[in-house]
Amino acid sequence: MKIDFTRIKQQKVKDLVRLHELQEVADFQKVKYICYSETEGGYRSHHKSFLIKAPIHKVWEAYQTIHPREAWSGNMISIGLVYCKKNNTIIYPEDTYDGAKEGQILFVHLNLLGGLLKLGVAHAIHEIDKDKKVFTICYVEKGSSVGSQYISMKETAEGHTLVTHDTKYKSDSAFRDRYLYPTFHEKALTIYHENIKRKVESV
């Protein structure tokens, strides 16, 4: 089955898909991602936490089931498409979504500096640990950065949930890693987590 580029709204996401030479669904099998390695140096760290006033089981379920078009929705982020390795299918924003799974690759559009800079980025869900309540996300090759992101959850004494987003990242630009990436990364992930927080707390 060929990729329907007419269903991808963002030009930068289309460009990224073409950069990976993806024309058919089967082509996604060859996409590689580069996770954080403890044996390599040069990584920088970013940390951000969010308190969600709901039990941890409800928060975990929300993170697993929320549609990417809802989670990645804001003035600077939007979802382009999702590839699901388990089912070997492509999920466009208008399609139904049956939850996060290991091996899913998300192609996200970033609208930065008020639209002056537009980027397509891709990351993969590397591991979902239900017992430890941790999502591990890795950067896809051919991107600007390599490394991993970890979304973890802890129950608070009040019965709420503390969601922590830790990132280990590096690129070939020390200036970008120190000054640009942390700023834009935090803005994007804040929109993502606040979307889920709002959905959970409104129920």
Side-chain angles (χ1 to χ4, degrees):
M1 182 181 296
K2 289 189 175 296
I3 299 170
D4 187 351
F5 283 92
T6 65
R7 299 185 67 187
I8 304 174
K9 299 177 181 179
Q10 309 92 337
Q11 184 59 47
K12 290 298 182 180
V13 173
K14 293 180 183 179
D15 293 343
L16 183 60
V17 170
R18 292 188 173 110
L19 175 65
H20 283 274
E21 299 179 348
L22 306 173
Q23 294 294 327
E24 299 186 3
V25 176
D27 293 337
F28 283 84
Q29 296 283 349
K30 66 185 179 183
V31 174
K32 298 178 181 179
Y33 36 93
I34 307 171
C35 303
Y36 165 68
S37 172
E38 293 182 354
T39 61
E40 295 181 9
Y43 286 94
R44 297 186 69 88
S45 299
H46 182 274
H47 175 90
K48 181 79 173 178
S49 293
F50 303 84
L51 179 65
I52 301 181
K53 295 181 178 180
I56 192 168
H57 71 276
K58 288 188 177 180
V59 176
W60 176 258
E61 181 182 10
Y63 274 81
Q64 276 203 296
T65 60
I66 190 170
H67 198 295
R69 70 167 176 261
E70 294 182 74
W72 298 95
S73 176
N75 59 358
M76 67 171 286
I77 61 172
S78 59
I79 192 71
L81 77 160
V82 177
Y83 168 73
C84 186
K85 184 176 182 179
K86 182 176 181 179
N87 301 329
N88 194 35
T89 57
I90 290 178
I91 304 163
Y92 299 97
E94 304 83 12
D95 292 338
T96 57
Y97 180 73
D98 62 356
K101 296 178 177 63
E102 293 179 354
Q104 283 183 355
I105 303 174
L106 292 86
F107 290 77
V108 178
H109 182 256
L110 299 179
N111 189 43
L112 309 176
L113 301 174
L116 294 176
L117 178 62
K118 299 178 186 294
L119 297 173
V121 299
H123 55 257
I125 301 176
H126 179 55
E127 184 178 5
I128 300 175
D129 191 323
K130 183 178 180 180
D131 294 332
K132 295 182 179 179
K133 299 293 187 290
V134 178
F135 290 90
T136 301
I137 299 160
C138 296
Y139 293 80
V140 170
E141 67 174 353
K142 299 184 181 181
S144 300
S145 299
V146 299
S148 299
Q149 300 180 40
Y150 308 92
I151 300 173
S152 59
M153 302 173 197
K154 300 279 187 191
E155 187 175 12
T156 70
E158 297 78 18
H160 302 322
T161 305
L162 184 67
V163 178
T164 301
H165 194 129
D166 287 300
T167 307
K168 297 285 189 180
Y169 67 95
K170 67 177 179 178
S171 72
D172 57 3
S173 170
F175 177 83
R176 178 184 184 275
D177 289 351
R178 183 173 182 179
Y179 297 106
L180 300 181
Y181 182 94
T183 300
F184 294 129
H185 178 61
E186 180 160 328
K187 288 181 178 179
L189 70 84
T190 297
I191 294 172
Y192 168 80
H193 288 287
E194 289 292 341
N195 282 340
I196 303 176
K197 172 183 169 76
R198 191 160 42 248
K199 184 182 179 81
V200 175
E201 293 184 346
S202 66
V203 176

